[in-house]
């Protein structure tokens, strides 16, 4: 049979846009980070929304409570140890599965990349996220970048 009449237009869908995200990089020449210390990130690149904040030069990224985030980071540097290792810490606790480790011959230039999905707790608000050197030795001449995306 013939096609029926067109029905009424439905409601407009949600605006599909990326709301809460942040990218940051280090740019300091000759940045050396001892074992157990966190990397300061000097420059905020692209920032959107208010759920993720960072003060340029700080080691802390503030993440809003009760949210889920996708985090990726890359660290390049040199060490006299046989491995270079970094990890994400949320509120001072290592995030499981976020380790980035590269084995090497000492003094080589290395790049390690880590990823994690993080669910922030209700308290403290905001949660503090850091990239921490867990190598057995200092890592020298570091450059690093991080990207944080709120996914829920």
């Amino acid at each position: 049979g013939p096609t029926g009449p067109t029905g009424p237009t439905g409601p407009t869908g949600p605006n599909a846009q990326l709301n809460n995200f942040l990218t940051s990089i280090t740019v300091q020449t000759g940045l050396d980070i001892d074992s157990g210390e966190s990397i300061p990130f000097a420059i905020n690149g692209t920032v959107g929304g208010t759920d993720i904040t960072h003060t340029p030069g700080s080691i802390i990224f503030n993440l809003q409570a009760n949210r889920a985030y996708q985090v990726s980071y890359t660290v390049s540097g040199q060490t006299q140890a046989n491995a270079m290792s970094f990890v994400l810490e949320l509120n001072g606790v290592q995030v499981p599965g976020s380790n980035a480790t590269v084995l090497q011959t000492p003094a080589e230039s290395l790049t390690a990349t880590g990823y994690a999905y993080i669910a922030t707790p209700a308290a403290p608000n905001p949660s503090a996220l850091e990239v921490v050197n867990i190598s057995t030795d200092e890592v020298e001449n570091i450059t690093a970048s991080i990207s944080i995306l709120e996914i829920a």
Side-chain angles (χ1 to χ4, degrees), residues 30-115:
L31 179 62
D32 300 338
I33 302 293
D34 286 330
S35 180
E37 290 187 352
S38 299
I39 299 174
F41 287 83
I43 294 177
N44 289 342
T46 307
V47 179
T50 59
D51 286 356
I52 306 165
T53 60
H54 174 256
T55 302
S58 170
I59 61 174
I60 302 289
F61 293 87
N62 295 299
L63 307 180
Q64 190 66 27
N66 296 317
R67 305 283 197 280
Y69 298 90
Q70 175 185 322
V71 181
S72 62
Y73 67 98
T74 301
V75 181
S76 296
Q78 298 173 313
T79 181
Q80 295 302 313
N82 291 326
M84 181 177 81
S85 297
F86 287 84
V87 71
L88 294 173
E89 286 189 1
L90 185 68
N91 302 321
V93 177
Q94 289 186 7
V95 175
S98 70
N99 293 43
T101 300
V102 179
L103 303 176
Q104 58 119 15
T105 303
E108 285 183 3
S109 184
L110 300 171
T111 300
T113 301
Y115 305 93

Side-chain angles (χ1 to χ4, degrees), residues 11-28:
T12 302
N15 187 4
Q17 64 180 353
L18 194 56
N19 286 327
N20 287 290
F21 57 91
L22 181 142
T23 61
S24 187
I25 59 171
T26 63
V27 292
Q28 182 178 340

